[in-house]
Every structure is written in C-alpha cells, then in structure tokens.
Amino acid sequence: MLEKRIIVCLDVRDGRTTKGVKFKENIDIGDPVAMARLYYEQGVDELVFYDITASAEKRGIMIDVLARVAEQIFIPFSVGGGIGSVQDMRNVLLAGAEKVSVNSQAVRNPGIIEEGAGLFGSQCIVLGMDALEDKTMPSGYRVVIDGGRKPTEMDALAWALKAEQLGAGEIVLNSIDADGTKNGYELVITKMISEAVQIPVVASGGAGVPQHLADVFSLAKADAALIASMVHFGTYSISQIKDHLFAQQIPVRMDY
Amino acid sequence: MAVAVVDYKAGNLKSVDTALKYLKADYFVSDDPEKIILAERIIFPGVGEAKSAMDNLRETGLGDAIKQAFAAGTPVMGICLGSQIVLEHSEERNTPCLGLVGGTAKRFEPTPGFKVPHMGWNQVSPAGKSFMFRGIPANASFYFVHSYYPNPDKEYICAQTEYICTFTSALQYGNLFAVQFHPEKSGKHGLQMLNNFLEWKGNA
C-alpha cells in the first residue's frame, strides 16, 4: 500500500538553517546538511529546502548545500524559493534535487510550470501555494504570494486545477491561517484540493503534535505532510511521529 | 572493466551517480555504445516517456549495445523506465521496446481514490529468492514515481507491489534484473540493492 509521506522542511539562508533548533545530538545545529542527515537517519521520507537567501549573488551557496546533501542522503528532496526560470530549475535538479517548487513566480508567470514540465517532466515540478481563508472567494480561499504578504485575485481551488492542467506534478498547500499556530493543518482546504486534483497534495502549516498528521491524512486525504518546528525544536522525533501514525493503522514507512 | 551507467538523455542521472560514488563503485556514465558493450555490468536508468526513449536508443545504437551485452551475459540492471523498455512493448504511445524479456508495460487503470502517477514509498514483496534482495527484509519500502508498470511474462516476476492492482515491481531473467522503483532514492535498502548488483554474477 502506498505510504503517507512525512516531509521535513528546512529554511536555508546563506547556507545555514534559519529556524532555531535545539538538538541534543552532537551536530552543528545550523548546518542544513547535518540536519538533513539526522532526519534521514531518523526515517524521514523526503526533505524540502527553501532558499530564503535575500540576494541573488548568494544563490551559489544553496547549490553547494544541495550537492553536499545529494552526496550522502538517498531519499528524494525538493527545492523551493527563488526559482524564477527554467535555468534555476535545471541548476537545482543537476545538483541532485528530485523536484523543484515554484510559488509566487508561478502566479506571476504560470507558463513556467508548463515550460518546466515539458523540459524535465511533471514529476519534477511542484506548485507551492499559500492560501488564506476568504469567504468572498468561490472556494472560500484566496491565493497569497510573497511569503503570504501579498493577496492575489486568484481562487485557491481554481489555481490548483489550473496548475495541474499546466503540468505540475504535485501541490504543496500551505495554509497561512494555520501556519505557525501549532493547532493543526487546515483540513477544509486540504481535503477540497486533494479530492479535486489527480496529483498528490502535501499539507503544510500548523503541525504541532503527531495527531495533526493523523488528522490531515485520514480526514483531509493529504498524500504527504510537511513538518518543521515540531522536529526542529526537538519536541518530537520522526520515529515518534511515525509510531503514532502506525498505531492508528495509517500506512507509513516503518522500516528504515 | 567497470559498471557503465547508460546515458540516453532520459532524465537526471545525478542520484544514480551519487549513490554509486557513495558505494565506492568503479563506474562511469557513458553514451558510447562501444564502451557500454565492454563494461563489466550495465545500469540502465531512465525517467520519461517510452517512445522518445526508444527513438533515442535506436538512433544512438545504445539499444543494440544493451541487447548485445545482455546476450553475452553481462549483468544488466534496469531502473524505472529501464524496467519497462526491456520488455517487448509499452502501452505508452504503443511503443515497440527492446524485447530482452517477454511482456508489456501497462498503464494504471484510472480508479477512484487512487492518484496516477503512483508516487511515494511502497512495499516490495519478493516472489522468491534472489541475490538482488540479499540483506533486504521482505516488504521493505522503496520510492516509486510512475504511471506505467512492467507486466512481464509470469516466470520473470521477481517482486510485486500493491497499487490499484498487484503489479511487478522487480523482474529478473538470467542476467537481467530490473526494478520499477528508484533504489538510488530508497534509503539504506536501495543502497543495499545497488551494492548487491555490484557483486551479482547474473545467475541467481
């Protein structure tokens, strides 16, 4: 049976992980490569690196991080942040990433999804989407861009369907309302989009305890769930989360 | 005499490359049919679409090189698309394939509640004993991304996986072993399988 994926997200700025971390293990706590390695050994199913480097000239640092991750971590990983052209996509894929994620850039230029899918295959192209609850929109959710700061005129469900049609192979759906609350994923929009598209949907934003993942898998039909602070702060390990899901008969990869 | 990784412009070879490097394998990536024929073993990866892959293999002579090496007894390992185009035929754009082994690549039937492509980790159950599964527990999970799957003649089924139907996730025929999943992205069990291939004599 296809297993539900647990994906850890690492925000990387100038080659360092930015969220505060409190590992007890003897590793460099801000080094994304060492952190990725630790999560890999703990049984994470996939990783995503968001490049939040402010300046374009520091992009090379990220490529170097990815190359070092690829040398020692043999699970899929994707890269988002600052992907504005197919050349950017090519650079991260050649560094060893399995997928690239486009968000605000795809809203400004939807053609990049089609172009990327045509060149590298749909399985490589992930649409990252930030959604904000808004009763005036047809689906009840509005697409926002630039890290959630800027509202658009796009409806979240319509954009998901459009991106699928353009060739996106997966959608990472981040709820701005839930993000950072640790109160759980936004189940309504996750279920709505997961049922509407044929491509996998990754839920993002709001995870605080393992039961939140159980809920988004069983109630909202997410194919995968993104987590960050609940493991970065050492509150839970990947195996604790998996044990919790497994105990509820949710299919997860237990043998790693 | 080393392992040749066939480069026929079907997807990104980076992860196969880094996995072999990690395993300290003596290997090279090549699109030269003459070098492929002389290799001690051949890894035949690939992501993408069957028709354009076959066109490329035909035009470059790489398809014939793989056939010749296989006939001469060189251990060959197909990965992903490489497990489909070793068959006689693919339903994908109705494409005649290499025909190293009998069977056809089929598309998953559209089924409510199941997404296609089949993407993520899924369990692989070996059908019998194969050296290629040495050190790998039964029902270990491997990473898949595909919409078509190999459906070889029954006697070549080496392992199966459940998704929509029970499909062949590994096949074996003499010195050919091929997997639909990506061992190079499947953690320690995937690395173990690649390592097995580096030692496989192509007969068990």
Side-chain angles (χ1 to χ4, degrees), chain B residues 1-7 20 26-44 62 64-77 175 197-198 200-201:
Chain B
M1 297 290 278
V3 182
V5 179
V6 184
D7 179 7
L20 291 173
D26 177 15
Y27 74 99
F28 61 96
V29 178
S30 176
D31 60 2
D32 180 348
E34 299 194 3
K35 286 187 182 150
I36 305 285
I37 289 175
L38 293 174
E40 187 184 354
R41 342 178 153 263
I42 296 171
I43 294 182
F44 180 43
L62 286 166
D64 284 336
I66 293 165
K67 279 192 206 174
Q68 274 187 49
F70 171 68
T74 306
V76 176
M77 181 175 185
N175 48 309
F197 180 67
L198 299 176
W200 188 45
K201 296 190 170 59

Side-chain angles (χ1 to χ4, degrees), chain A residues 72-83:
Chain A
Q72 45 184 307
I73 288 164
F74 299 98
I75 55 172
F77 63 92
S78 59
V79 180
I83 305 288

Side-chain angles (χ1 to χ4, degrees), chain A residues 70-128:
Chain A
E71 279 167 14
Q72 45 184 307
I73 288 164
F74 299 98
I75 55 172
F77 63 92
S78 59
V79 180
I83 305 288
S85 66
V86 291
Q87 189 55 46
D88 292 337
M89 291 179 172
R90 180 173 282 119
N91 291 345
V92 301
L93 293 172
L94 287 179
E98 164 84 359
K99 307 179 236 191
V100 289
S101 173
V102 284
N103 188 323
S104 308
Q105 302 282 7
V107 169
R108 294 193 176 92
N109 169 28
I112 193 173
I113 296 175
E114 201 167 13
E115 214 182 332
L119 280 170
F120 312 114
S122 282
Q123 81 288 342
C124 288
I125 310 298
V126 180
L127 174 75

Side-chain angles (χ1 to χ4, degrees), chain A residues 1-3 5 37 40 44-46 67 70-72 74-76 93-99 120 123 169-170 193-195 197-201 221 223 252-256, chain B residues 12 14-15 18-22 47-48 111 113-123 137-143 145 161-163 182-189 191:
Chain A
M1 189 186 244
L2 182 62
E3 290 155 342
R5 286 173 283 150
R37 172 93 211 171
Y40 170 61
V44 75
D45 300 310
E46 205 169 307
E71 279 167 14
Q72 45 184 307
F74 299 98
I75 55 172
L93 293 172
L94 287 179
E98 164 84 359
K99 307 179 236 191
F120 312 114
Q123 81 288 342
E170 185 167 73
I193 291 185
S194 191
E195 287 181 338
V197 297
Q198 255 298 310
I199 54 180
V201 171
K221 305 194 175 165
D223 298 282
V252 283
R253 184 171 67 108
M254 293 302 289
D255 177 34
Y256 38 82
Chain B
N12 193 351
K14 182 71 185 177
S15 14
T18 50
L20 291 173
K21 199 172 284 168
Y22 183 85
V47 168
T111 307
F114 289 91
K115 294 181 173 179
V116 177
H118 170 226
M119 177 157 116
W121 297 81
N122 203 337
Q123 295 184 355
N139 305 319
S141 297
F142 290 84
Y143 187 78
V145 189
T161 294
E162 302 285 337
Y163 191 71
H182 289 274
E184 75 280 13
K185 289 183 198 120
S186 295
K188 67 174 182 186
H189 297 316
L191 291 173

Side-chain angles (χ1 to χ4, degrees), chain B residues 1-199:
Chain B
M1 297 290 278
V3 182
V5 179
V6 184
D7 179 7
Y8 60 111
K9 311 293 172 249
N12 193 351
L13 297 176
K14 182 71 185 177
S15 14
V16 173
D17 185 9
T18 50
L20 291 173
K21 199 172 284 168
Y22 183 85
L23 294 170
K24 300 186 169 61
D26 177 15
Y27 74 99
F28 61 96
V29 178
S30 176
D31 60 2
D32 180 348
E34 299 194 3
K35 286 187 182 150
I36 305 285
I37 289 175
L38 293 174
E40 187 184 354
R41 342 178 153 263
I42 296 171
I43 294 182
F44 180 43
V47 168
E49 181 265 314
K51 176 81 165 48
S52 34
M54 276 308 301
D55 286 348
N56 194 297
L57 289 170
R58 201 172 303 111
E59 282 158 23
T60 55
L62 286 166
D64 284 336
I66 293 165
K67 279 192 206 174
Q68 274 187 49
F70 171 68
T74 306
V76 176
M77 181 175 185
I79 297 175
C80 194
L81 184 61
S83 75
Q84 297 171 15
I85 56 184
V86 293
L87 302 170
E88 291 163 316
H89 179 261
S90 172
E91 282 183 1
E92 189 170 21
R93 295 175 68 190
N94 193 19
T95 303
C97 295
L98 293 176
L100 304 188
V101 56
T104 193
K106 295 173 81 86
R107 190 177 164 86
F108 284 117
E109 292 289 336
T111 307
F114 289 91
K115 294 181 173 179
V116 177
H118 170 226
M119 177 157 116
W121 297 81
N122 203 337
Q123 295 184 355
V124 171
S125 313
K129 271 202 190 320
S130 166
F131 179 81
M132 289 300 295
F133 279 90
R134 180 189 64 167
I136 298 168
N139 305 319
S141 297
F142 290 84
Y143 187 78
F144 290 83
V145 189
H146 61 124
S147 301
Y148 292 79
Y149 60 90
N151 190 36
D153 297 345
K154 246 185 195 147
E155 57 266 43
Y156 310 124
I157 298 173
C158 181
Q160 292 178 309
T161 294
E162 302 285 337
Y163 191 71
I164 297 180
C165 58
T166 301
F167 71 91
T168 300
S169 46
L171 62 89
Q172 191 170 333
Y173 169 48
N175 48 309
L176 170 71
F177 176 80
V179 289
Q180 176 60 67
F181 49 83
H182 289 274
E184 75 280 13
K185 289 183 198 120
S186 295
K188 67 174 182 186
H189 297 316
L191 291 173
Q192 174 70 40
M193 181 168 279
L194 288 170
N195 205 38
N196 288 346
F197 180 67
L198 299 176
E199 293 175 28

Side-chain angles (χ1 to χ4, degrees), chain A residues 8-18 30-33 36 47-71 77-83 88-89 91-97 99-101:
Chain A
V8 168
C9 175
L10 296 159
D11 288 343
V12 181
R13 173 181 287 151
D14 303 342
R16 304 284 292 174
T17 311
T18 58
D31 175 10
V33 182
L47 293 161
V48 51
F49 297 89
Y50 278 111
D51 185 0
I52 54 171
T53 301
S55 56
E57 60 268 28
K58 286 186 173 166
R59 282 279 138 69
I61 301 174
M62 187 64 175
I63 296 296
D64 177 58
V65 167
L66 300 176
R68 287 192 292 134
V69 167
E71 279 167 14
F77 63 92
S78 59
V79 180
I83 305 288
D88 292 337
M89 291 179 172
N91 291 345
V92 301
L93 293 172
L94 287 179
K99 307 179 236 191
V100 289
S101 173

